Every structure is written in C-alpha cells, then in structure tokens.
Amino acid sequence: MQASAIGPAEEPSSILWGLDPIFSAFARLYVRDILQMTESTQVPGIYFYNSHPINKVDILGTVVYKRERDDFFCYGVDDGTGVINCLCWKSDAFKEEDHSVREKHSVEAYGNFNLVTELRKLRQAQKERSCLDIGEVLRVRGWVKTSRQQREIMGSTYYKVNDPVMAVQIAWMMEVPRLYRECYNKTIQLNPTATGDSSVSMFSKATNIIKDFFKQKMVTRFRPYDIQDLLQPLVFSQPQKAPEDQPVAGLSACQQLHQLLKKVLEDLQNEGVIYRRVKSQDEVYDVTVQDKDLLLAVKDVISQDSKREKHAEKGCHILHILSAVRQRHSLNVSRAALELVLKSLECSSDIVSTSDSHYTVF
Amino acid sequence: MLPAAAVFHFPWEINSGAVKDGESVRTFGRLVCYQPEESRATLSAHHAANEHTVVIHTLFVEPFNPILGAQYLVLGEIENAEEVDVRVQARVLNCIDGVNVALLQKAINEQRSFFRERECTQDGVAQPGDAT
C-alpha cells in the first residue's frame, strides 16, 4: 500500500521546510517510498513523504542493472522493496587512467616506496570502488530527480560495499524500520498555528519595522501616532478566522493595533532605543542614538571628568557617567539608553573604553 | 528496463507456493548440490525440524565457484513450470558463507512486521480518496 499521499492543500509552506531536520539530511527511505513520494506543487524537485519535505536520500541495495557511458554509470539498485536508477558520475580517476599507464617508471630511489606507483594504486582502488557488476552491493547518497517521468537518484556519493557475510545489509534492514518509527513516520508540525506563537512573531516583526524606520528616516523625535500607521499592515493582514465573527471574537483590529503599539514602545524603551526626555502630558519620544544633545552631553561629561585626577587613570565608570548625564540632560535616561550612546560614540572614535565599563577621552 | 524488486522470502515459503509464478524473489540457503551440465543448483535450509530445498537455475550466473556447504544468496524469478518443481531463475548468486542466518531471519521478519504495521495504520486511518 502507498504511504499516505499529501494533497496540495496540506503541503506546508516552502518557507518552513528548513525547520524540518529531515529536509537537510539524506533520508534513508525504502526505494518503494522514494518511488511513491508525491512531488511538491510549490517547488518541483522536492518531494513529500508523510508531510516531510525530502530531496536527498541514502540507499543500500543490490545492483540488478548496469549501463555505462563515457561519463557516468547508471545502476539499477534493488533494496528488496523497489528498484531505482542511480546516476553515478565517473570521477576524474577514470579519465586519468591512460596517463598513469604511460608514465615512465621512476627510479626506486626511496626504497620500497614509489610515490608514482602508490598514486596509481590509489586511483585504481578508487576506480574499483565505483565500478560495480550486477549482484554487487552499492551504497548511494544523492538527490531525487524525476526525469522522463521516471524517478532517479542523482548520486553524489556512491561506493561498492564489501559485504561478504551480509553484515551491512542486515544492519541496514534492522535500522531503517527504527528510523521510520522515530523520524519519518512522525508528523511534524511545521505551522505555528497557535495564536500565542503568531502574536510573538508579529511583535518581533513590529519591533523590527519600527527600528528600521528610525534608521532609514533618521528619526530624532516622534509621537506614537506618527508610527502607528507602520504597524497597520501587520494587524490587518492577520489571518481572520471568519469575518463574520470579527466584532464578537476578542479585540477589534484597532484595539489590537493600539495594544501592539504600546507593547512595542515599552520594549523599545526597555532596550534603550528610545526614551522620553521630558515626561509630560504630550507623549514625545526621543530616539537615543539620534539625539545630538544627548550625545554631546555624554561626550562632555566624559571629556571633562577624565581630566580629573579621580578618573584620570582608569576613565569614568558608566554609573558615574549615568548620574552626571541625568543631572545635566534628563532624569529619564536609562542605563540601556546610555550604553547605546556610548557604543555609538565609541564607533565614531569620540571616546575610548578602557575596560568593560570605563570610558575616557584622549 | 529495470527488473522488478526482489522481495526477501524464506526457502520454505518458496516451495509452499506462497510466491506467484514470475515474481522476483531473494532467498538464501546452503549449497547442497550443483549440476553444471544441467545448470542446476540446490540450496537447502533448516526450519521447524524440516529440511527445505530450493532449486536454482544457474544459467545466467555461470560460471561461479561452487562451494558445497556454503551459504548462498540468490536473487531471481520464480518459475512454476508443470513438469518441474518450483525453481528460481537466478540473476544474482552470491556466496555469503559466514552469514548469521538467525540474525538474517530476524532482520527479514523485522522488515515484514514494519510493513504490516504500516499497512494496518494506513487502512485503519480513513484515508480520503486521493485523486492523483
């Protein structure tokens, strides 16, 4: 019977595929499952087994068919559940064979070790590992491709397995069902469907949007309604359960927007990105690193106090700078805000840090 | 083109007729006799206090070095002609002497039970008809 086929509507979005660890691994599927996997409707070349996106596989089986061309081998591999063609490109070792044969035998000046002969033997061994006959056991790792409506494996790594007492094949037969039970047959939830998750990601998106806006427009000062519009698309593009229930179900879009804005402003204040120089009825925020007066105040504090004997050797401690700036500039400067300012001043080489929390001016 | 997949079967299953004519199988056993002039080899396996033999037609895998008493793995198609008993037309005949037969049996059973389990869960879960 077939492995559960996945309908196009059930396919997880391609942006989430990287979250599935199996996607990055060479999956040890049975050839039967590889042949029956459904191809993705989003990205051709990617296949699905039980809602896992697969594009690379690892198989072990007996060679039952062989076709050789100048550049590649095409081996039909049978693992007991199905047979699949594996395209195995020949390595350069094959093409260099003629040269090595014609090479003159160099003098055995280094005792029994002749580099040329050894290299030739190495190339020969490499050739032997990739040239197989029918009945031999082959291991192939490669990408799944569909060519001329036939599924194939484009081998990236392949080699002959020496398995005289079937130890490797037996171990494989015991391991693969275990892998299926533990990984491949377990459905993975790739969609963050819980509302909690989506609100967290929306919040971080919102914070990033605001931060980018500050940087691009070199904003020095703003009021909340100035940036409210930026967050509108986030709130209004949220997937609605059913438009009819909208007014009934919890908060309206406007209230959501307000809440989001409040949260973002709070978070940005805690990070020190913004601060309120003057706390009044009028809700005005200053963007820390763009506030020229603040930068100047901090620089002045450090340059003046560094001259004093007390701070001459080590520089000014950050807490000292903080209390001085609070007296001089604004009581609402937080430590986080000050740290951002100090970092910015250091980047422009206006001040120098002498230790983890000491600063001075040369 | 590509031959059909050779599923593992035990020697006692081959003779009992559990495998259909023309089906590709993989099986094993000890080489007890070889008649090169008729291209005929016999593999034998012990199970449930009985000796089960499988006849192999070796035309396609000759010449090979026959080691009487050694374990062999054969891969081929079932031939169920009227005048002869069930035999396997071998495409692959490998000497696997030294194999842990009990472990091999265990591995085959493990694989089978996995597929059975999977089929049961799939049939159990009502699959909406997938129009592929």
Side-chain angles (χ1 to χ4, degrees):
Chain A
M1 288 284 99
Q2 296 187 14
S4 48
I6 196 162
E10 301 156 27
E11 253 183 49
S13 159
S14 61
I15 219 168
L16 301 167
W17 290 348
L19 294 173
D20 188 347
I22 294 173
F23 185 54
S24 321
F26 287 89
R28 288 192 189 181
L29 297 172
Y30 285 118
V31 171
R32 183 161 93 179
D33 292 333
I34 298 173
L35 293 171
Q36 291 175 350
M37 291 194 295
T38 50
E39 193 162 0
S40 161
T41 48
Q42 295 172 68
V43 182
I46 308 292
Y47 305 84
F48 275 93
Y49 173 77
N50 192 26
S51 85
H52 291 288
I54 308 266
N55 74 328
K56 313 195 271 280
V57 291
D58 186 351
I59 62 169
L60 177 81
T62 311
V63 174
V64 292
Y65 171 80
K66 176 183 174 178
R67 191 174 74 214
E68 186 176 352
R69 293 279 177 274
D70 287 337
D71 296 333
F72 65 88
F73 290 109
C74 183
Y75 292 119
V77 179
D78 179 350
D79 74 340
T81 66
V83 187
I84 191 167
N85 263 329
C86 299
L87 223 74
C88 303
W89 294 93
K90 289 184 182 173
S91 68
D92 293 333
F94 275 90
K95 295 161 192 164
E96 283 176 25
E97 200 228 328
D98 294 335
H99 302 289
S100 58
V101 162
R102 283 194 230 113
E103 245 170 55
K104 56 183 194 302
H105 296 281
S106 26
V107 176
E108 309 250 339
Y110 303 100
N112 289 329
F113 183 78
N114 182 344
L115 191 60
V116 173
T117 324
E118 295 299 321
L119 271 176
R120 201 181 321 131
K121 280 192 214 163
L122 175 64
R123 285 207 194 93
Q124 193 60 29
Q126 282 176 327
K127 256 189 76 175
E128 278 163 26
R129 289 200 104 186
S130 49
C131 186
L132 284 85
D133 285 320
I134 291 185
E136 293 180 324
V137 180
L138 175 69
R139 171 98 183 262
V140 184
R141 279 187 156 204
W143 286 270
V144 182
K145 292 213 156 21
T146 306
S147 124
R148 291 180 217 161
Q149 293 177 335
Q150 280 238 350
R151 214 148 275 183
E152 290 184 339
I153 297 177
M154 180 81 74
S156 65
T157 306
Y158 65 96
Y159 59 90
K160 175 160 75 180
V161 179
N162 279 327
D163 199 16
V165 296
M166 284 194 75
V168 178
Q169 289 170 81
I170 291 173
W172 192 276
M173 280 199 278
M174 298 288 276
E175 194 186 355
V176 175
R178 194 180 60 85
L179 282 173
Y180 267 84
R181 283 185 196 110
E182 287 178 18
C183 313
Y184 308 137
N185 283 347
K186 285 201 173 150
T187 22
I188 188 164
Q189 257 315 339
L190 286 180
N191 299 321
T193 47
T195 43
D197 282 336
S198 66
S199 71
V200 164
S201 59
M202 187 165 75
F203 172 66
S204 56
K205 269 192 225 160
T207 324
N208 287 334
I209 288 175
I210 303 295
K211 280 189 186 165
D212 287 340
F213 174 71
F214 289 160
K215 228 187 261 183
Q216 280 169 16
K217 303 288 179 186
M218 313 261 277
V219 177
T220 49
R221 192 171 286 170
F222 66 95
R223 289 186 176 80
Y225 63 69
D226 293 328
I227 56 170
Q228 196 168 280
D229 294 339
L230 295 170
L231 302 180
Q232 264 196 3
L234 269 185
V235 173
F236 288 111
S237 71
Q238 262 228 299
Q240 311 289 348
K241 284 273 159 68
E244 308 87 61
D245 315 67
Q246 188 38 25
V248 184
L251 303 162
S252 72
C254 282
Q255 284 176 307
Q256 276 184 359
L257 182 63
H258 256 53
Q259 240 190 22
L260 182 64
L261 184 63
K262 211 170 124 189
K263 245 174 108 185
V264 170
L265 287 173
E266 203 181 294
D267 190 61
L268 289 175
Q269 270 200 293
N270 291 339
E271 277 183 38
V273 176
I274 60 178
Y275 79 106
R276 284 179 70 179
R277 187 165 169 181
V278 176
K279 277 209 173 121
S280 67
Q281 283 265 349
D282 191 13
E283 208 180 331
V284 181
Y285 290 89
D286 295 86
V287 177
T288 319
V289 291
Q290 302 288 0
D291 190 346
K292 300 284 185 286
D293 294 333
L294 176 60
L295 264 78
L296 209 59
V298 173
K299 217 167 105 179
D300 282 345
V301 165
I302 300 177
S303 60
Q304 282 167 20
D305 289 352
S306 309
K307 295 196 182 104
R308 287 207 258 149
E309 208 183 292
K310 196 167 134 187
H311 306 286
E313 207 178 294
K314 249 181 135 182
C316 307
H317 192 270
I318 189 172
L319 293 174
H320 168 84
I321 304 171
L322 188 61
S323 72
V325 169
R326 277 184 178 159
Q327 282 175 16
R328 203 188 270 223
H329 183 77
S330 161
L331 275 171
N332 303 320
V333 177
S334 66
R335 181 170 174 164
L338 181 63
E339 278 174 354
L340 280 181
V341 172
L342 289 169
K343 199 153 68 170
S344 155
L345 286 174
E346 203 179 356
C347 281
S348 57
S349 297
D350 287 324
I351 63 174
V352 174
S353 63
T354 54
S355 87
D356 209 15
S357 38
H358 289 83
Y359 297 86
T360 190
V361 168
F362 283 142
Chain B
M1 273 288 86
L2 287 178
V7 185
F8 249 118
H9 282 96
F10 296 119
W12 46 94
E13 292 170 346
I14 309 247
N15 281 330
S16 70
V19 193
K20 289 195 289 274
D21 190 26
E23 226 179 271
S24 297
V25 298
R26 213 186 279 234
T27 194
F28 58 92
R30 246 179 335 106
L31 184 66
V32 289
C33 106
Y34 176 50
Q35 292 153 315
E37 57 286 349
E38 285 175 46
S39 291
R40 196 183 136 106
T42 313
L43 300 185
S44 129
H46 203 82
H47 175 73
N50 277 334
E51 200 70 26
H52 300 266
T53 55
V54 181
V55 175
I56 315 285
H57 192 73
T58 56
L59 186 63
F60 298 151
V61 295
E62 276 161 357
F64 71 99
N65 179 21
I67 306 171
L68 289 179
Q71 290 280 353
Y72 276 84
L73 177 77
V74 65
L75 199 155
E77 278 67 47
I78 295 287
E79 268 180 9
N80 219 334
E82 306 81 42
E83 67 274 3
V84 290
D85 289 328
V86 175
R87 66 179 191 177
V88 178
Q89 180 74 268
R91 282 187 275 128
V92 171
L93 186 64
N94 288 334
C95 178
I96 52 167
D97 201 33
V99 66
N100 185 338
V101 177
L103 197 58
L104 176 59
Q105 259 182 253
K106 186 169 170 210
I108 296 170
N109 284 326
E110 169 79 26
Q111 200 162 299
R112 282 181 179 178
S113 73
F114 167 74
F115 281 122
R116 254 197 313 269
E117 199 182 288
R118 191 162 82 164
E119 252 171 72
C120 285
T121 34
Q122 272 171 18
D123 292 342
V125 173
Q127 289 290 331
D130 65 292
T132 9

